[in-house]
């Protein structure tokens, strides 16, 4: 006999017109269109031009875990004995067997959240697309979810359609709108909530994940073998242990998210997973989302698994907290954050200089930067975050011409930083991301737009600026420069251009944001 949670799920899905298959498994249905739930079908997709032009996006990686204020993966680590978040939870809220994650969702108030105001700030800072969290590994949906009716942001917490309000604010300002889903490994990720303390006064007392009344949040393990939760508790990103009914729920929920909000971009925290279920989510995005003028999909799906995306087909490769060492002829993306992914009180943020160093380096190699500004429970940027955002805004106002709608030049740059070996698989964090020394005036990066070359110097030069890569007899063999100007200054600069390179006499006074970096616009014969 079906338990209550499973019976309710079947009723919900039957009412939504989903055909039941044998053994109570749900049949997968993708909205009709040119794409099917198979990798072969997805290979006909190509990257839309707008994405290659956009270069910079901002992300609100925001949800109930942010409201606790203790950083990433709180909903999992609060149940893992020996972790700092387990100790934090015990001290602040009490034992996990009495106060579980479900009891913290009321902290997610959004009491000062003004998506219209925030989107004004993000658009002014130069973001060309914006991402809302859709659902994290914690299984809490940030829209009016058909398949998670109790644990979503309309039914609980802020009681607002977070995805819908973000999307409306972004589109009103001409920004492309994306959503992120981190759901596919949720079944394993929440396994520790099904355990109990192994020592101390509450040893053996079950955590609330074992309570079937909350199986719709922590997942139903009642049909799994004895000891299942403990056996997979360390397999946080495995995605291999989930039963078929969970994979179907994953597809149904992401399909619901895509159908309701028709995003321009969809980020999955991983790759195209779970076979046809994962391929089906991508097909759904491409079938129901916006199209280009000639009827091709204008939508973009991101995978952190390089082999999913082949030569600009199927999807865009995303390098989480990582960059690549050379120009990729196919557009790609780095996603990172100024602090932690989820809001953490007292964290030290990346300053604007660090962000711009990353942005310029990424764009010079044909990539885009998606940058998370974590929000607290209130939904309002804190004063230190505003400082970072203001620094980015000021620099973009002067130098944005050399960023947007550009393409890589023959090489990405010159200077000391080009000698650093960068390893990036597309699936691994760079442990030194955000910790590298700031780039300086001798670290240069190049972008191009038509016949115009832009040269970034990532600091204010002491004396003339010498660009050795532009030597007339060098490997790049550029044409003769006829006009050189500093963005934000606009008066023609004096220069010499010969077999030793381009040497530019810089203005006596630096531009307002020159300490972060400057950009030259160079035109040739």
């Amino acid at each position: 006999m079906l338990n209550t949670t499973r019976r309710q799920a079947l009723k919900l899905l039957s009412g939504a017109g989903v055909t039941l298959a044998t053994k109570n498994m749900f049949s997968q249905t993708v909205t009709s269109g040119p794409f099917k739930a198979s990798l072969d079908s997805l290979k006909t997709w190509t990257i839309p031009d707008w994405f290659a032009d956009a270069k910079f996006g901002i992300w609100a990686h925001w949800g109930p875990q942010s409201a606790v204020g203790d950083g990433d993966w709180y909903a999992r680590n609060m149940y893992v004995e020996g972790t700092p978040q387990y100790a934090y939870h015990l001290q602040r809220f009490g034992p996990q067997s009495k106060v579980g994650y479900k009891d913290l969702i009321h902290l997610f108030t959004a009491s000062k959240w003004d998506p219209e105001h925030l989107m004004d700030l993000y658009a002014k800072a130069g973001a060309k697309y914006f991402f809302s969290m859709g659902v994290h590994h914690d299984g809490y949906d940030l829209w009016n979810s058909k398949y998670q009716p109790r644990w979503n942001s309309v039914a609980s917490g802020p009681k607002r359609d977070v995805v819908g309000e973000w999307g409306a604010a972004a589109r009103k300002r001409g920004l492309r709108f994306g959503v992120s889903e981190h759901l596919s490994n949720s079944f394993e990720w929440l396994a520790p909530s099904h355990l109990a303390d192994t020592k101390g006064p509450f040893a053996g007392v079950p955590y609330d994940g074992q309570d079937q009344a909350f199986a719709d949040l922590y997942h139903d393990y009642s049909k799994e073998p004895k000891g299942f939760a403990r056996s997979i508790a360390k397999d946080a990103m495995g995605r291999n242990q989930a039963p078929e009914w969970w994979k179907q729920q994953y597809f149904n929920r992401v399909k619901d998210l895509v159908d309701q909000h028709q995003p321009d971009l969809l980020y999955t925290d991983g790759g195209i997973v779970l076979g046809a279920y994962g391929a089906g989510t991508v097909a759904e995005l491409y079938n129901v989302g916006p199209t280009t003028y000639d009827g091709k999909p204008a939508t973009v799906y991101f995978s952190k698994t390089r082999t999913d995306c082949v030569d600009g087909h199927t999807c865009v490769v995303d390098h989480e907290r990582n960059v690549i060492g050379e120009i990729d002829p196919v557009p790609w993306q780095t996603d990172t954050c100024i602090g932690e992914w989820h809001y953490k009180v007292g964290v030290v943020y990346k300053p604007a200089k660090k962000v711009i160093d990353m942005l310029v380096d990424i764009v010079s190699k044909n990539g885009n930067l998606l940058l998370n500004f974590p929000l607290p429970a209130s939904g309002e940027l804190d004063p230190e975050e505003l400082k970072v955002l203001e620094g980015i805004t000021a620099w973009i106002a002067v130098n944005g011409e050399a960023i947007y709608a550009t393409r890589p030049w023959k090489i990405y740059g010159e200077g000391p930083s080009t000698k650093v070996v960068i390893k990036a698989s597309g699936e691994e964090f760079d442990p030194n991301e955000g910790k590298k020394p700031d780039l300086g005036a001798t670290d240069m990066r190049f972008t191009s737009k038509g016949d115009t070359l832009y040269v970034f110097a990532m600091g204010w030069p002491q004396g003339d600026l010498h660009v050795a890569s532009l030597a007339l007899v060098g490997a790049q063999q550029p044409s003769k420069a006829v006009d050189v100007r500093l963005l934000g200054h606009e008066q023609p600069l004096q220069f010499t251009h010969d077999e030793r390179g381009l040497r530019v006499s810089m203005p006596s006074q630096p531009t307002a944001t020159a300490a972060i970096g400057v950009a030259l616009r160079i035109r040739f014969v």
Side-chain angles (χ1 to χ4, degrees):
M1 184 174 180
L2 291 171
N3 62 50
T4 302
T5 302
R6 187 72 59 82
R7 188 164 52 246
Q8 288 173 340
L10 287 168
K11 184 178 180 182
L12 262 174
L13 290 166
S14 299
V18 177
T19 304
L20 297 183
T22 59
K23 297 183 180 179
N24 297 319
M25 300 306 171
F26 309 135
S27 66
Q28 186 184 44
T29 54
V30 175
T31 298
S32 61
F35 297 93
K36 311 301 180 187
S38 73
L39 294 179
D40 284 343
S41 173
L42 299 175
K43 289 177 182 176
T44 62
W45 175 91
T46 56
I47 299 172
D49 289 341
W50 77 259
F51 178 76
D53 291 342
K55 306 305 182 189
F56 182 43
I58 287 179
W59 190 1
H61 197 284
W62 185 48
Q65 292 176 93
S66 308
V68 178
D70 198 43
D72 300 340
W73 279 32
Y74 190 89
R76 174 183 171 85
N77 290 340
M78 61 171 280
Y79 295 107
V80 180
E81 283 183 289
T83 64
Q85 287 167 316
Y86 172 92
Y88 174 90
H89 184 90
L90 189 63
Q91 181 179 25
R92 180 177 172 185
F93 300 110
Q96 287 78 347
S97 55
K98 291 188 175 182
V99 181
Y101 180 60
K102 70 182 186 308
D103 302 304
L104 306 182
I105 287 173
H106 72 279
L107 299 174
F108 181 39
T109 62
S111 57
K112 297 182 180 179
W113 179 48
D114 184 349
E116 299 288 338
H117 171 66
L118 289 171
M119 207 63 65
D120 280 339
L121 296 179
Y122 298 153
K124 187 178 179 181
K128 301 302 181 185
Y129 53 102
F130 175 84
F131 262 83
S132 168
M133 173 74 73
V135 51
H136 197 251
H137 310 313
D138 65 343
Y140 184 88
D141 293 351
L142 289 156
W143 74 98
N144 193 13
S145 176
K146 292 179 181 178
Y147 301 104
Q148 184 67 308
R150 185 159 59 145
W151 306 105
N152 72 66
S153 64
V154 177
S156 59
K159 298 193 174 178
R160 296 170 66 175
D161 186 339
V162 171
V163 173
E165 291 191 45
W166 277 131
R171 287 168 167 148
K172 188 185 298 184
R173 291 155 181 83
L175 276 65
R176 297 279 182 166
F177 179 60
V179 292
S180 67
E181 68 84 9
H182 312 244
L183 187 62
S184 61
N185 63 309
S186 180
F187 194 85
E188 291 95 342
W189 195 83
L190 283 168
S193 70
H194 291 256
L195 302 179
D197 282 357
T198 60
K199 54 184 178 294
F202 295 94
V205 180
Y207 299 148
D208 59 335
Q210 294 191 43
D211 190 335
Q212 279 296 103
F214 305 108
D216 51 350
L217 179 63
Y218 300 112
H219 308 307
D220 185 359
Y221 282 15
S222 64
K223 303 296 184 184
E224 307 304 326
K226 185 177 180 181
F228 175 77
R230 188 164 299 283
S231 71
I232 69 165
K234 294 183 179 180
D235 193 19
M237 303 299 285
R239 301 181 175 91
N240 297 317
Q241 307 294 330
E244 208 66 20
W245 68 263
W246 162 252
K247 296 175 184 178
Q248 182 67 56
Q249 186 184 124
Y250 161 75
F251 170 79
N252 289 338
R253 281 165 66 178
V254 179
K255 173 177 161 57
D256 180 43
L257 172 63
V258 169
D259 291 353
Q260 283 196 41
H261 298 286
Q262 299 182 6
D264 300 284
L265 312 100
L266 176 63
Y267 169 104
T268 290
D269 194 359
I272 303 175
V273 296
L274 307 181
Y277 297 101
T281 65
V282 187
E284 188 71 14
L285 174 73
Y286 293 161
N287 284 345
V288 308
T291 58
T292 63
Y293 69 93
D294 55 354
K296 296 179 180 178
T299 43
V300 176
Y301 177 87
F302 297 97
S303 172
K304 293 194 291 186
T305 303
R306 184 187 291 272
T307 53
D308 284 343
C309 313
V310 182
D311 297 329
H313 295 284
T314 303
C315 51
V316 167
V317 177
D318 179 273
H319 302 271
E320 182 176 352
R321 284 189 169 179
N322 212 334
V323 298
I324 62 177
E326 295 293 340
I327 295 170
D328 189 331
V330 177
W332 53 279
Q333 177 177 268
T334 284
D335 70 284
T336 190
C337 43
I338 65 167
E340 294 200 10
W341 286 118
H342 285 101
Y343 190 82
K344 185 170 184 176
V345 175
V347 75
V348 177
Y349 298 123
K350 291 182 178 75
K353 166 64 176 168
K354 188 72 68 181
V355 171
I356 296 301
D357 282 355
M358 293 180 64
L359 174 65
V360 172
D361 182 63
I362 288 165
V363 171
S364 74
K365 298 169 183 173
N366 206 26
N368 289 18
L369 172 63
L370 176 61
L371 183 67
N372 173 47
F373 279 82
L375 294 172
S378 67
E380 184 178 53
L381 291 169
D382 71 33
E384 294 303 310
E385 289 181 291
L386 285 170
K387 287 181 184 178
V388 177
L389 189 62
E390 288 164 0
I392 296 169
T393 302
W395 189 89
I396 288 288
V398 175
N399 301 287
E401 173 190 329
I403 294 290
Y404 303 112
T406 61
R407 296 296 184 267
W409 192 53
K410 299 175 182 180
I411 58 175
Y412 74 86
E414 68 172 78
S417 59
T418 62
K419 311 290 193 297
V420 177
V421 177
I422 299 175
K423 178 185 177 182
S425 70
E427 301 172 40
E428 300 174 352
F429 290 169
D430 176 358
N432 297 312
E433 190 264 350
K435 300 176 183 177
K436 297 178 176 122
D438 288 347
L439 300 182
T442 57
D443 292 303
M444 295 180 221
R445 296 292 183 267
F446 307 127
T447 62
S448 65
K449 190 181 295 181
D451 296 330
T452 300
L453 174 68
Y454 296 99
V455 177
F456 293 92
M458 301 313 298
W460 184 250
Q462 299 299 312
D464 293 349
L465 177 65
H466 181 216
V467 188
S469 299
L470 293 180
L472 292 174
V473 296
Q476 316 314 324
Q477 296 186 340
S479 300
K480 187 85 170 179
V482 295
D483 186 76
V484 179
R485 303 187 188 222
L486 176 68
L487 298 189
H489 181 75
E490 292 308 322
Q491 298 302 313
L493 302 178
Q494 297 296 314
F495 65 92
T496 58
H497 193 192
D498 54 29
E499 67 279 0
R500 292 171 297 177
L502 180 73
R503 187 173 294 276
V504 181
S505 298
M506 301 297 285
S508 58
Q509 293 296 321
T511 55
T513 58
I516 292 178
V518 297
L520 298 177
R521 182 199 303 122
I522 304 172
R523 301 192 191 281
F524 300 91
V525 173

